[in-house]
Amino acid sequence: MNYRDIIVFDFETGSRNPQKTQPTQIAAIAIHGRRLTLQPGGMFNSEIRPILDDEKAVAAGLDPLEDKALEITHKNRKALAKAPLPKTVWRKFAEFCNKYNFKNSSYTAPIAAGYNIIGFDMPIINRMCEKYGPVDGEGRQKLFNPIFKIDLMDMIFSWTENNPDIRSISMDFLRDWLGFPEESKENAHDALQDVKDTANILIKFLKFQRSIAEKTKFEQAFARQEFYIK
């Protein structure tokens, strides 16, 4: 049984490559692992100042900001120039995450959750932890549980892969399909709005899974040698 809290997080970025993109915003929501409710003080949101000069960004091994990415995320260079520096934001984000590590150990660290985090957001977490900390003795991030992750995109796929009405598993499609209000759609691609929507969908599916699991007996399920593949 899971007693660790779940932190749903999302980055907005200036390009598409998670290995080189510059984060421009991070938001997160902490969810109680058993009650599936918002934890006290469980919301974090901050813009992040990127390197605005393209040549300096490339020299630092990072992607320059792309106009299309800024358009999608409703950001501009003038406003981002006033945002806090990455090191400052990361220190505050680490403090936020550590509040929900009830024994201050890797085993009790909160579980990372989000939409497409395995393919996109976790590589950025690893990069930022490598640069600003915290890392363990082997240089691996230690903000989140090292074993468990919840990628809502994979969860949605597993529950809908046989549904012919699902034309896409993008968040934009899911907002329409699940009946989110217009406000959510209008604010899409703002990290805070995205984590709120992701957290609501995740809680809905976790409650659904729990209700089914309580009624389904898996113990000794193959005791009669009824295997699908022999």
Side-chain angles (χ1 to χ4, degrees), residues 48-105:
I48 305 171
R49 188 193 310 175
I51 300 174
L52 297 167
D53 183 279
D54 289 356
E55 291 185 2
K56 290 181 179 179
V58 172
L62 300 170
D63 287 339
L65 297 183
E66 298 176 1
D67 290 337
K68 184 64 176 177
L70 295 178
E71 180 184 343
I72 290 172
T73 58
H74 312 294
K75 302 191 185 306
N76 62 77
R77 287 172 169 81
K78 185 176 180 180
L80 288 173
K82 300 177 182 178
L85 291 168
K87 185 176 182 179
T88 302
V89 175
W90 203 250
R91 176 179 55 79
K92 292 180 179 179
F93 180 64
E95 291 173 355
F96 171 81
C97 292
N98 288 334
K99 285 195 305 183
Y100 306 102
N101 186 338
F102 59 91
K103 287 189 178 179
N104 197 30
S105 71

Side-chain angles (χ1 to χ4, degrees), residues 13-22 63 66 120 124 127:
T13 62
S15 62
R16 296 184 180 183
N17 182 353
Q19 302 303 333
K20 291 187 175 184
T21 192
Q22 298 192 70
D63 287 339
E66 298 176 1
F120 191 79
I124 302 175
R127 280 174 44 209

Side-chain angles (χ1 to χ4, degrees), residues 115 153 156-157 160 163-175 177:
Y115 206 84
M153 186 173 72
I156 294 291
F157 176 78
T160 63
N163 186 337
D165 295 329
I166 303 300
R167 303 186 303 276
S168 167
I169 56 170
S170 71
M171 279 296 293
D172 289 336
F173 175 83
L174 291 175
R175 286 184 175 99
W177 186 61

Side-chain angles (χ1 to χ4, degrees), residues 9-19 21 115-125 151:
F9 68 95
D10 180 59
F11 286 102
E12 300 301 338
T13 62
S15 62
R16 296 184 180 183
N17 182 353
Q19 302 303 333
T21 192
Y115 206 84
N116 191 29
I117 60 166
I118 292 175
F120 191 79
D121 299 86
M122 281 308 298
I124 302 175
I125 291 285
D151 195 319

